[in-house]
Amino acid sequence: MSEPGNRHGERRVARVIVADDQSMVREGIVLVLGLLPGIEVVGAARDGEEAVALTAELAPDVVLMDLRMPRCDGVEATRRIHAEHPGTEVVVLTTYADDDSLFPALRAGARGYLTKDAGGEEIVRAVHDVLDGRAGFAPAVQRRLLEQLMAEPERRGGPDGDPSRGRPRRQPDPLPDGLTEREVEVLTLVADGLSNQEIGARLSISTATVKTHINNLFAKTGVRDRVQAVRYAYRSGLVVPPGQTIT
């Protein structure tokens, strides 16, 4: 990848691919970016599979990646681009800013994350931020990441946490029965007596998404209801039973 600026300090033009399965949205983004300095749109993809193929063909500086697309979603496409084309950065551009969208994308290798209400100048700034080695996040995403970071000590049993409830143990690697980290988070809150709505509010996800996680963890662990799920959480050592402390 060439340098972000030239010897006169001028910002170079960033070569960009836009990936979005909705044609009107995709064409609108391409049109807006074409009117702004510092960006050259070199390709447009209709799904993640096409985004990966175009990246291999065109070697762009940045892919603006939607998340929910057919054939290959944005998270998987980001993972493949990050692994196979290290000279290309990914900035997510999506409607969704919930944890179930944000954190998988960042783990897959995205260096920026914007929502589709971002203006053209904000997109350009994020593109050049990631090319300059910085993160390109929308302000709301930055706040969410900060909240997550600040909440980590309490979830790990920090000095202000309740030692007998709402605290997972140090998680084994790999997690038992194929559980994901998110499913263990949900299971911990189920064990703490929270309703689906309360779990959704705590994790910034929808109640429907909570139900999906609960159904998945029920299927994986073989439990039939929340009482059995709590017993499983205690028995497997994922959650500290009331009255006990982490040793």
Side-chain angles (χ1 to χ4, degrees), residues 23 30 41 55 59 64-65 71 73 112 121 132 136 164 175 195:
S23 59
V30 170
V41 179
T55 299
L64 288 174
M65 184 78 72
R71 290 207 301 168
D73 66 22
E121 293 182 359
D132 290 343
S164 65
L175 294 170
S195 67

Side-chain angles (χ1 to χ4, degrees), residues 59-219:
D61 299 309
V62 174
V63 178
L64 288 174
M65 184 78 72
D66 190 20
L67 289 183
R68 301 188 183 180
M69 296 184 290
R71 290 207 301 168
C72 172
D73 66 22
V75 171
E76 178 59 24
T78 297
R79 185 178 295 110
R80 289 169 59 183
I81 290 170
H82 182 67
E84 300 168 15
H85 307 286
T88 297
E89 302 289 358
V90 174
V91 174
V92 171
L93 183 60
T94 182
T95 303
Y96 309 96
D98 58 281
D99 286 5
D100 281 0
S101 300
L102 171 61
F103 292 108
L106 297 183
R107 293 189 190 103
R111 291 289 302 277
Y113 199 105
L114 303 173
T115 53
K116 287 182 179 177
D117 57 359
E121 293 182 359
E122 187 176 356
I123 296 174
V124 172
R125 183 167 56 250
V127 165
H128 285 286
D129 279 346
V130 299
L131 292 184
D132 290 343
R134 300 186 295 273
F137 295 135
V141 172
Q142 289 179 324
R143 288 194 298 272
R144 180 65 194 122
L145 291 173
L146 180 60
E147 290 169 358
Q148 184 81 355
L149 181 63
M150 294 175 66
E152 281 298 322
E154 182 176 351
R155 282 201 298 272
R156 290 196 297 263
D160 297 327
D162 182 338
S164 65
R165 299 200 66 184
R167 286 176 52 188
R169 293 185 185 273
R170 181 176 296 173
Q171 303 303 334
D173 187 17
L175 294 170
D177 296 314
L179 293 174
T180 66
E181 292 180 7
R182 174 61 89 190
E183 288 162 357
V184 171
E185 283 187 291
V186 171
L187 179 58
T188 300
L189 296 176
V190 168
D192 205 22
L194 273 65
S195 67
N196 288 356
Q197 186 174 3
E198 290 168 333
I199 293 171
R202 181 75 63 87
L203 299 179
S204 299
I205 59 179
S206 68
T207 303
T209 300
V210 173
K211 291 179 180 178
T212 297
H213 287 311
I214 289 176
N215 289 337
N216 288 342
L217 71 88
F218 277 14

